[in-house]
Amino acid sequence: ENKWLLLCNLFLVNNIATFSLLVMGQPAKSKHPKEPGENKIKPVNKRVKPKASKMKERESVDSSLKSQSILTQVMDKGHFQKLAPTLSLSAGQSIELRCKGSNVTWNYPSYLDTFKDSRLSIKQLDRYGQLILANSTAADTGEYSCWLQLCNGNKCRKDETKTGSTYIFFTDKEVLFVPTPSYFEIVYLNPDKPAVIPCRVTTPSAKVTLHREFPAEEIETDGTDIVYDVKKGFVYQHPTSDHKGIVYCKAESQGAPQISIKYHLLYVEVPKGPPSTTISASSSRVDISDSVHVICTVLGEPDVDVNFRWQYPGQESERPVIIQNFWRLINRGIGHTTRISKSILLLEGFEARDAGNYICIAQNLHGETTVATKVELN
């Protein structure tokens, strides 16, 4: 009995000590595994805070993605930077741009394509498109943009919700104006649309003014009828015949002023629409072995291209003919300029199969016009 009493007392003392330690906040040392729910107060406190912070982080990420452009610049050590509407870099620097997506299309200054510049590299990788421009020059100044293409079979369209764009100035204090391939440029002044004098600068802070060659004077830019856009040049909002003539731009930025190329402003006023077309043959009646030429003529807007197509009697039998296309500008008086486009079909050694109707089809962006003339054998 004494042994049983002793064991019971020891059991009670041990449990009282364990209970005291739990009340004081200290874990009891026990070899048995913890039961479910044991010490649950502390883990609950630890779990609540991370859950709340994760939710906040997720919300902030979601809201930033909605306004984030898909275009980024790759910086040093693998860092990325979201691009602002404009970016200034020193000429000579290289730049890498990335556009998120598996089917990306790029737009950049067109002369890089014209001269097939090896400094430009464009690649499409699994998750992004990549554009790298090495050893930049002042001439690279311009807009760089990208967008995702949504394709269904062979038909693709631009995804307007996933685009990116930035205008990059490659600054060079020795070259204030963006270089052009020519030293003289024609600008057409059309009464129903703005005209742009494209004297863009490589330094956005440069002071730019517009000047007339004769009479020599500075042209006032009032910010309404004539405005300067650093990404485009001087913009004539409402061109008139009074604006015609030769002009140039002058830029100043911490040094001697620099002069742009000259621009010849030509005022045009021709009706918009399908080509105004006429056709005539050198002779309506010819003899065997004679030569004959048929001329198709179009008068139209100076900056609107015209395409010609011909149909003639010997076409199906592959009768050899010579076709020449050309155009030139003509002055119609009082400062109005138009464009005369011609297509000449020359046929040598006239044969019986060549007699019949010669049809010219002239087409521009507004439509097409068909005219015909008949050539007969004597």
Side-chain angles (χ1 to χ4, degrees):
E1 292 179 0
N2 292 335
K3 289 181 179 180
W4 280 108
L5 288 171
L6 181 61
L7 288 171
C8 288
N9 289 334
L10 288 172
F11 178 79
L12 290 172
V13 169
N14 184 55
N15 277 280
I16 290 169
T18 302
F19 177 76
S20 300
L21 287 171
L22 288 170
V23 170
M24 294 174 66
Q26 299 177 4
K29 296 181 180 179
S30 175
K31 294 182 180 179
H32 73 277
K34 294 180 181 179
E35 297 295 331
E38 192 175 359
N39 290 344
K40 63 182 178 180
I41 295 175
K42 288 185 180 181
V44 167
N45 290 337
K46 288 182 180 179
R47 288 172 187 159
V48 169
K49 291 181 181 178
K51 282 185 178 179
S53 63
K54 284 180 181 178
M55 288 177 66
K56 289 180 181 178
E57 289 174 5
R58 192 177 295 113
E59 288 174 1
S60 63
V61 169
D62 290 343
S63 61
S64 65
L65 284 173
K66 290 178 182 177
S67 59
Q68 185 176 9
S69 167
I70 62 173
L71 179 64
T72 56
Q73 178 186 1
V74 180
M75 310 300 288
D76 293 336
K77 299 180 181 178
H79 294 155
F80 297 88
Q81 175 175 291
K82 179 182 174 182
L83 287 169
T86 60
L87 173 67
S88 292
L89 298 174
S90 297
Q93 286 185 261
S94 297
I95 185 172
E96 179 181 346
L97 303 178
R98 290 188 182 181
C99 203
K100 296 178 182 177
S102 58
N103 189 9
V104 174
T105 299
W106 291 92
N107 184 53
Y108 43 85
S110 58
Y111 96 96
L112 288 170
D113 266 343
T114 303
F115 297 100
K116 296 181 179 179
D117 204 313
S118 60
R119 298 178 301 117
L120 178 69
S121 169
I122 292 180
K123 295 179 180 178
Q124 178 63 59
L125 303 176
D126 290 340
R127 296 184 179 181
Y128 60 88
Q130 178 193 60
L131 182 150
I132 298 177
L133 180 63
N135 301 321
S136 62
T137 68
D140 300 324
T141 296
E143 184 175 11
Y144 292 76
S145 60
C146 64
W147 59 89
L148 292 188
Q149 288 278 72
L150 297 177
C151 296
N152 184 9
N154 294 328
K155 295 182 179 180
C156 295
R157 63 180 178 86
K158 180 179 180 180
D159 186 350
E160 298 291 348
T161 64
K162 296 181 180 179
T163 64
S165 177
T166 188
Y167 190 97
I168 305 178
F169 296 92
F170 291 100
T171 61
D172 186 341
K173 63 181 181 179
E174 302 298 328
V175 186
L176 289 183
F177 286 106
V178 178
T180 59
S182 62
Y183 294 95
F184 192 83
E185 193 168 320
I186 293 176
V187 176
Y188 299 110
L189 305 176
N190 198 303
D192 58 2
K193 64 181 180 181
V196 178
I197 315 300
C199 51
R200 299 179 296 126
V201 289
T202 61
T203 303
S205 60
K207 179 184 176 182
V208 188
T209 52
L210 182 63
H211 299 259
R212 190 185 307 278
E213 187 177 55
F214 183 81
E217 61 183 3
E218 181 179 338
I219 300 173
E220 183 180 354
T221 54
D222 55 10
T224 303
D225 290 331
I226 304 177
V227 298
Y228 185 71
D229 185 329
V230 72
K231 298 179 182 179
K232 296 180 180 178
F234 285 99
V235 181
Y236 285 75
Q237 301 288 7
H238 308 285
T240 68
S241 60
D242 294 335
H243 294 139
K244 67 181 183 293
I246 297 177
V247 300
Y248 61 90
C249 303
K250 181 186 292 186
E252 297 180 58
S253 178
Q254 302 177 352
Q258 297 181 23
I259 304 298
S260 73
I261 67 170
K262 293 179 181 179
Y263 301 92
H264 191 178
L265 311 187
L266 299 177
Y267 185 75
V268 299
E269 191 173 32
V270 294
K272 291 184 180 295
S276 175
T277 313
T278 59
I279 190 170
S280 63
S282 57
S283 179
S284 59
R285 300 189 68 88
V286 294
D287 296 321
I288 292 292
S289 299
D290 281 354
S291 294
V292 63
H293 60 266
V294 185
I295 304 175
C296 191
T297 305
V298 171
L299 292 178
E301 300 171 79
D303 52 350
V304 175
D305 291 330
V306 178
N307 296 316
F308 294 97
R309 303 195 311 273
W310 285 93
Q311 296 175 6
Y312 49 93
Q315 192 168 22
E316 291 186 1
S317 60
E318 298 183 354
R319 169 71 157 97
V321 297
I322 298 173
I323 297 176
Q324 296 177 330
N325 299 328
F326 62 92
W327 64 270
R328 62 187 177 89
L329 297 177
I330 59 173
N331 194 326
R332 300 178 65 185
I334 59 173
H336 293 187
T337 304
T338 191
R339 171 172 170 161
I340 181 169
S341 303
K342 290 189 177 185
S343 181
I344 301 176
L345 184 149
L346 176 62
L347 191 149
E348 297 177 334
F350 198 87
E351 303 174 9
R353 62 173 175 167
D354 297 323
N357 290 320
Y358 287 74
I359 301 171
C360 171
I361 304 166
Q363 183 179 29
N364 65 12
L365 54 86
H366 304 297
E368 66 179 35
T369 303
T370 302
V371 291
T373 188
K374 193 171 186 178
V375 179
E376 297 178 317
L377 180 63
N378 281 329

